[in-house]
Amino acid sequence: MFVDRVLSGMRPTGMLHLGHYQGVLKNWVRLQHEHECLFFVADWHALTTHYDDVAVIEQNVWDMVIDWIAAGVDPSRAAMFIQSQVPEHAELHLLLSMMTPLGWLERVPTYKDQQEKLTEKDLSTYGFLGYPLLQSADILIYRANHVPVGEDQVPHIEFTREIARRFNHLFGKEPGFEQKAEAAIKKLGSKKAKLYEDLRDRYQEQGDDAALEAARALIMESQNIALGDRERLFGYLEGGGKVILPEPQALLTEASKMPGLDGNKMSKSYNNTIAMRDDADTVTKKIRTMPTDPARVRRTDPGDPAKCPVWQFHLVYSDDGRRNWVTEGCKSAGIGCLECKQPIIDAVLAEQGPMRERAEPYLEDPTLVRNIVADGCERARDLARETMRDVRESMGLGYT
Ligand code: TRP
Ligand code: SF4
């Protein structure tokens, strides 16, 4: 009943690097050929942790959108927009907040993790606690069914599914559904009926997943009820009836194997990145000065690729033939490290060529990016308005 739609967002962290390209953007580029795609800049999400550093946001947003385009995200296939330019996200976030148990938010693993990690910042804020709910609003407002994300974001998608279920339960009931479900409960027999109702309350009032599981098991093991009643009982547990906000699925993006210049994962916070749009001289210099196996002090000292960050790059950029050449040459001191690095330099520059080409017109004329984002925002707003009409109406705020 809903179209096949992909949505994903990224916080505006500024210039993206090859880790973003290999891990996330290549995937987006592929998806845009297979589904309707919406990609947005989560600038409000950036504020949840960087509310004290707002000067950089705008430039980061434009740089990031140019990098998306540089990677091959095609404005004629995918809408690109900015979260804060579609205020309906905030309205849905507010309405969802009315029915979101605090315990659900406190239990999201990123909440405690991030608070512990970012100790230099006070993250005991209302906004930060609401981070996953804002993300739910981002997704549900487009009724998106696929959300490409990395492993760390999967709990947020799970959370979103629970929010959708709860919303549909509270506001998606069709006329007569409740009475029919109540009648079905009676057919369980008084003992089981009582248990079902207790478990249902526990799940709906406290978000107790174990209670939901137990209630489902109870329904499964009740032999003598009709199929229709069984479906009602399942639906009634979580809120059957009309689906106003469909549950999204996480499309798990495989963790990028992209190493950083020092062998750790490529990340801005490790200062070991190659930016997607670093110029050729910078790339050459960064790779030529990469550390190698410390055993290779002199050109004649043999080394071991397993102890060398450059080898990680060969795993991304080289075929078997070249990898053999590296392994043999390194272990026998038959090749020098600069020689070994040259094909990596060539491969990275070759990968970046089309990126630079695609970015160029947008760097020359910034109004082109503004226009693409304006179009994307308009498309997003149309979809968001439609959802909000249904949401308001189902929550008693139709006022027609
Ligand atoms: N939380 C995501 C991240 O840090 C960014 C994000 C915000 C997002 N809203 C979203 C991702 C909606 C997917 C869908 O990576
Ligand atoms: Fe690393 Fe290559 Fe030098 Fe071996 S030859 S240490 S793999 S850069």
Side-chain angles (χ1 to χ4, degrees):
M1 102 171 149
F2 295 109
V3 298
D4 171 56
R5 185 173 292 146
V6 166
L7 171 113
S8 199
M10 239 191 244
R11 281 170 297 168
T13 49
M15 298 268 196
L16 301 181
H17 53 65
L18 292 178
H20 295 115
Y21 175 67
Q22 295 286 347
V24 181
L25 293 175
K26 264 188 173 174
N27 196 37
W28 285 13
V29 169
R30 184 176 52 78
L31 288 167
Q32 72 186 350
H33 297 285
E34 298 163 3
H35 310 267
E36 177 184 354
C37 284
L38 303 167
F39 299 125
F40 75 98
V41 183
D43 55 347
W44 280 337
H45 277 103
L47 282 176
T48 63
T49 51
H50 289 69
Y51 52 82
D52 55 355
D53 185 21
V54 298
V56 296
I57 292 182
E58 181 168 4
Q59 194 53 49
N60 283 353
V61 169
W62 300 127
D63 283 341
M64 193 164 82
V65 174
I66 291 177
D67 279 338
W68 292 357
I69 297 168
V73 178
D74 177 351
S76 70
R77 290 186 176 275
M80 289 177 259
F81 64 97
I82 301 171
Q83 184 185 37
S84 67
Q85 297 298 300
V86 189
E88 283 82 358
H89 289 227
E91 185 185 359
L92 183 57
H93 176 234
L94 176 87
L95 293 177
L96 294 175
S97 78
M98 305 302 171
M99 38 136 280
T100 303
L102 270 182
W104 289 15
L105 287 166
E106 286 160 348
R107 263 194 274 126
V108 173
T110 46
Y111 181 58
K112 283 226 162 58
D113 287 359
Q114 291 284 93
Q115 271 190 334
E116 281 163 17
K117 243 169 69 195
L118 302 174
T119 43
E120 73 279 13
K121 244 168 235 156
D122 181 10
L123 291 183
S124 318
T125 57
Y126 181 53
F128 185 66
L129 179 66
Y131 187 113
L133 189 64
L134 181 57
Q135 186 163 350
S136 300
D138 297 337
I139 298 166
L140 297 174
I141 204 159
Y142 300 108
R143 295 166 159 157
N145 37 10
H146 305 291
V147 186
V149 286
E151 184 108 58
D152 62 314
Q153 295 291 311
V154 170
H156 292 171
I157 310 305
E158 276 306 312
F159 173 84
T160 301
R161 292 166 60 83
E162 282 172 31
I163 294 292
R165 245 179 265 144
R166 186 165 168 84
F167 184 94
N168 293 329
H169 159 71
L170 288 167
F171 307 114
K173 273 166 277 177
E174 274 166 345
F177 176 77
E178 214 157 297
Q179 288 84 337
K180 284 177 188 154
E182 291 289 346
I185 295 174
K186 291 209 177 74
K187 292 179 202 163
L188 287 170
S190 61
K191 232 175 106 184
K192 280 189 172 175
K194 171 86 174 59
L195 183 56
Y196 175 94
E197 281 173 333
D198 287 348
L199 291 169
R200 178 170 173 266
D201 286 350
R202 260 171 50 202
Y203 173 65
Q204 290 184 4
E205 283 160 22
Q206 297 151 36
D208 182 343
D209 291 329
L212 176 64
E213 281 314 307
R216 282 183 181 151
L218 178 77
I219 301 165
M220 291 303 288
E221 73 199 21
S222 300
Q223 303 294 339
N224 50 354
I225 47 172
L227 184 64
D229 278 341
R230 192 181 289 258
E231 283 172 353
R232 284 189 190 99
L233 289 171
F234 276 123
Y236 198 44
L237 271 180
E238 303 173 71
K242 203 172 153 195
V243 175
I244 300 162
L245 300 175
E247 287 179 43
Q249 297 279 355
L251 253 183
L252 189 63
T253 309
E254 237 185 279
S256 147
K257 296 198 179 56
M258 192 68 205
L261 292 164
D262 57 1
N264 293 311
K265 182 184 143 87
M266 187 177 281
S267 158
K268 216 171 154 185
S269 50
Y270 299 150
N271 204 9
N272 65 359
T273 64
I274 298 174
M276 285 173 57
R277 288 186 277 127
D278 267 348
D279 60 51
D281 286 347
T282 308
V283 170
T284 306
K285 196 160 153 238
K286 281 182 176 176
I287 297 175
R288 287 175 74 96
T289 54
M290 271 178 77
T292 60
D293 178 355
R296 296 209 69 184
V297 182
R298 275 160 306 201
R299 166 71 176 74
T300 48
D301 295 329
D304 179 1
K307 295 178 183 148
C308 178
V310 177
W311 174 246
Q312 305 291 321
F313 276 75
H314 280 290
L315 292 179
V316 175
Y317 289 106
S318 297
D319 58 16
D320 283 345
R322 196 152 69 211
R323 287 184 200 161
N324 288 337
W325 170 76
V326 171
T327 308
E328 276 164 32
C330 182
K331 291 187 167 172
S332 65
I335 58 169
C337 289
L338 284 179
E339 213 178 332
C340 179
K341 287 171 171 180
Q342 192 55 47
I344 299 299
I345 295 172
D346 296 341
V348 170
L349 293 180
E351 184 170 64
Q352 285 175 319
M355 291 186 200
R356 273 197 219 93
E357 222 164 89
R358 280 187 291 252
E360 200 177 279
Y362 299 91
L363 293 169
E364 242 154 59
D365 181 2
T367 60
L368 294 176
V369 194
R370 309 295 192 273
N371 290 342
I372 283 168
V373 170
D375 287 350
C377 289
E378 209 168 301
R379 166 87 185 122
R381 260 182 241 123
D382 284 346
L383 295 169
R385 267 193 220 116
E386 214 173 286
T387 306
M388 284 316 295
R389 245 197 317 272
D390 290 352
V391 166
R392 278 190 219 110
E393 196 176 305
S394 66
M395 291 184 79
L397 309 169
Y399 305 114
T400 42

